[in-house]
Amino acid sequence: MNSTTNTQLFFEKLKSFVDNKELVKLQLTGKRNQLSDLKKIIITAVEIKKGYCLNFVYRYNTMDITKNFDTQEGLDIIAKAMENDFYNAEMFAKNEHVSLIILPNGKAQIKTIQQTLQAQPTLTHDRVKERLIDTYNNIYLCELEITNANGEIRREMGDKFKQINKYIELLAPYLTELSVKESLHFADMGSGKGYLTFALYDYLSNNLKIKTNATGVEYREDLVNICNSIAHKAHFEGLKFIKGSIEKTELEHVDILIALHACDTATDDAIFRGIKSNAELIVCAPCCHKQISKALNVTNELSNVTKFGILKERQAEIITDIIRAMILQAFGYKTNVLEFISLDHTPKNVMIVGKKTHKLKKDKQQILNDIKAIKQLFGNPSANLSFSFSHPIKKECRLSLV
Ligand SMILES: C[S@@+](CC[C@H](N)C(=O)[O-])C[C@H]1O[C@@H](n2cnc3c(N)ncnc32)[C@H](O)[C@@H]1O
């Protein structure tokens, strides 16, 4: 069989799997350009509000970007990617496993294996995640009014449930790699109603079977009381919520520190606490970024980048999160920036994950100098840098002194 026929055959099969809703997963790997940051694309079929779509996860060296396309557009993108960007495509359908390999001489090989074990197409974004957090007999989900008394997800809480599952799904690979295997302590800074605190405690204790102690730190006493009462009802003996501030609350040894949507610069305080307590894993999903936005003062050739209000806001968010990620790197954390949840649900969808490593790729001082250069580009060069981007810089200075 010649190459064009093999490639055609592969795409015909792919189209038929998609049309018959049998596609489980397709992976494009073996990048053609070694300098490209894009390592692979993972495609699954999903059923979302707007209908049956293809979900693309673009896996870069340090981040994932997720996008949904309608099926025809998705198929066109896959064909283009195989032409220009990747050598290998591996496709899993209900009963078949098909791979396409483009050889350096341009010839294409196709291999088909009939699967004995039937893979099931996922179809919804949530099927996998639903398995991670079980709704059956789940006391805290019911108390938090995510499920009703029958254990069914309440219609209006569907997005929250998706968020919880996405969060656990993203963290799962990091959690299984933790050096602490038998017992650990995690702190959730700005725990709010505790949705994610309960889910993480549940996953660590019940799925990974790690003896877990956890502390939710929260300003609001009413939320602290509600969460403690739910923890008691759920028999989560190792989980407690305390009233206090992210900045000052005393904590016992922390293995994992999380701060999800902690307001404004509270995320910086949380990162600071995490680094200072030498946490193995630091996870934050920043909320608003008011501080840097106010301090942006671009007078150089980049001034047009901050000319329009809404784009200035977004630029400020990006710069803030880049600085946060770089600070983590400077202090010995291998850092990834991920999409926490699809933009359809919330614009606050960035998650920064730092994992302590002893093999730093870059020298700490070099990274701190790089941060300074970013601030110089976007801040007021004549002002004292410590104050031009007051909060994260203050943290960085404090961190430098640790
Ligand atoms: C947007 S909510 C997020 C709650 C929770 N982490 C989640 O993702 O569902 C932020 C919470 O952090 C609390 N918070 C903000 N800044 C704080 C600080 N400096 N110290 C303690 N709690 C703080 C707020 O009271 C609020 O309950």
Side-chain angles (χ1 to χ4, degrees):
M1 210 176 274
N2 69 35
S3 289
T4 319
T5 322
N6 277 340
T7 310
Q8 267 169 2
L9 184 64
F10 180 86
F11 280 101
E12 277 162 19
K13 270 186 181 288
L14 171 61
K15 182 160 173 27
S16 114
F17 290 149
V18 169
D19 289 347
N20 297 319
K21 301 194 173 179
E22 288 179 354
L23 180 71
V24 176
K25 185 164 93 169
L26 167 65
Q27 285 200 139
L28 310 186
T29 56
K31 57 184 182 183
R32 288 177 184 246
N33 175 359
Q34 287 315 308
L35 298 178
S36 166
D37 248 12
L38 180 61
K39 288 198 297 190
K40 65 159 98 165
I41 306 179
I42 304 153
I43 299 123
T44 47
V46 292
E47 195 83 61
I48 57 173
K49 272 185 206 141
K50 66 175 186 180
Y52 183 67
C53 287
L54 294 179
N55 174 262
F56 282 54
V57 176
Y58 292 86
R59 182 142 296 164
Y60 291 87
N61 285 337
T62 52
M63 65 173 180
D64 284 353
I65 293 180
T66 306
K67 289 184 183 164
N68 289 328
F69 297 103
D70 65 40
T71 51
Q72 191 48 55
E73 194 182 358
L75 290 172
D76 293 343
I77 293 170
I78 295 165
K80 276 222 178 77
M82 279 309 286
E83 221 175 288
N84 303 320
D85 306 318
F86 294 99
Y87 286 118
N88 307 330
E90 200 171 7
M91 168 162 73
F92 299 86
K94 225 171 163 185
N95 306 308
E96 248 181 318
H97 170 186
V98 188
S99 49
L100 177 75
I101 300 169
I102 314 286
L103 300 170
N105 63 9
K107 287 194 174 150
Q109 284 180 348
I110 190 166
K111 212 159 109 188
T112 303
I113 302 167
Q114 297 299 322
Q115 309 221 108
T116 42
L117 187 68
Q118 284 211 341
Q120 291 300 322
T122 305
L123 283 191
T124 76
H125 269 314
D126 313 314
R127 195 74 55 83
V128 175
K129 293 154 251 172
E130 278 169 20
R131 273 187 237 124
L132 293 180
I133 293 295
D134 200 351
T135 51
Y136 179 72
N137 266 349
N138 188 317
I139 296 171
Y140 69 87
L141 286 182
C142 187
E143 290 290 326
L144 290 168
E145 298 186 338
I146 289 174
T147 54
N148 62 22
N150 300 325
E152 295 151 353
I153 313 291
R154 287 174 190 269
R155 188 194 288 252
E156 66 282 12
M157 295 307 273
D159 280 355
K160 196 75 204 171
F161 189 60
K162 277 181 194 158
Q163 190 193 37
I164 291 173
N165 279 286
K166 176 75 180 186
Y167 162 72
I168 297 296
E169 189 198 329
L170 282 177
L171 285 194
Y174 294 96
L175 300 174
T176 45
E177 276 177 10
L178 286 172
S179 64
V180 275
K181 296 280 181 229
E182 272 156 30
S183 74
L184 62 75
H185 175 231
F186 81 81
D188 183 359
M189 309 303 255
S191 49
K193 276 188 93 175
Y195 295 110
L196 303 166
T197 337
F198 284 108
L200 182 58
Y201 183 91
D202 182 13
Y203 185 73
L204 286 165
S205 326
N206 297 323
N207 295 48
L208 300 187
K209 308 282 179 216
I210 298 174
K211 183 174 170 356
T212 303
N213 285 307
T215 312
V217 176
E218 170 56 51
Y219 267 152
R220 283 180 51 187
E221 194 165 9
D222 56 333
L223 297 179
V224 169
N225 292 340
I226 292 170
C227 288
N228 275 328
S229 142
I230 298 176
H232 180 70
K233 285 184 189 159
H235 308 290
F236 285 176
E237 273 99 23
L239 173 58
K240 65 174 185 293
F241 293 83
I242 52 180
K243 178 178 176 329
S245 73
I246 294 175
E247 300 85 327
K248 300 222 171 92
T249 301
E250 294 230 350
L251 294 168
E252 54 186 287
H253 167 78
V254 175
D255 296 297
I256 305 173
L257 181 131
I258 63 173
L260 303 169
H261 298 142
C263 319
D264 202 6
T265 51
T267 298
D268 300 299
D269 292 310
I271 292 175
F272 175 66
R273 294 294 308 265
I275 294 176
K276 220 175 158 203
S277 42
N278 206 21
E280 188 172 340
L281 197 61
I282 298 178
V283 182
C284 60
C287 189
C288 29
H289 302 66
K290 294 186 197 122
Q291 199 82 26
I292 272 199
S293 178
K294 278 182 260 155
L296 279 188
N297 182 9
V298 190
T299 50
N300 54 36
E301 55 275 41
L302 285 174
S303 60
N304 283 332
V305 169
T306 54
K307 206 159 82 178
F308 301 100
I310 184 164
L311 299 179
K312 182 179 178 190
E313 283 293 315
R314 289 192 190 164
Q315 195 62 48
E317 288 180 15
I318 292 170
I319 296 167
T320 313
D321 290 338
I322 286 172
I323 292 176
R324 285 167 174 160
M326 289 173 76
I327 285 175
L328 279 169
Q329 288 177 324
F331 286 86
Y333 287 80
K334 186 171 182 294
T335 304
N336 274 328
V337 180
L338 311 165
E339 187 180 60
F340 180 18
I341 188 146
S342 145
L343 263 179
D344 300 348
H345 303 295
T346 167
K348 307 290 174 202
N349 67 345
V350 166
M351 181 184 263
I352 303 172
V353 184
K355 185 177 184 312
K356 188 89 191 161
T357 169
H358 298 289
K359 290 179 239 146
L360 274 187
K361 274 201 185 147
K362 241 179 169 182
D363 174 60
K364 174 177 174 181
Q365 195 48 52
Q366 168 76 54
I367 302 175
L368 293 178
N369 290 344
D370 290 348
I371 294 173
K372 212 173 203 172
I374 294 177
K375 288 178 203 159
Q376 237 147 5
L377 265 181
F378 288 93
N380 182 350
S382 60
N384 177 345
L385 274 175
S386 304
F387 298 101
S388 61
F389 284 155
S390 49
H391 206 82
I393 281 285
K394 255 199 314 199
K395 293 300 158 209
E396 185 202 322
C397 293
R398 277 168 60 191
L399 289 169
S400 305
L401 297 173
V402 171

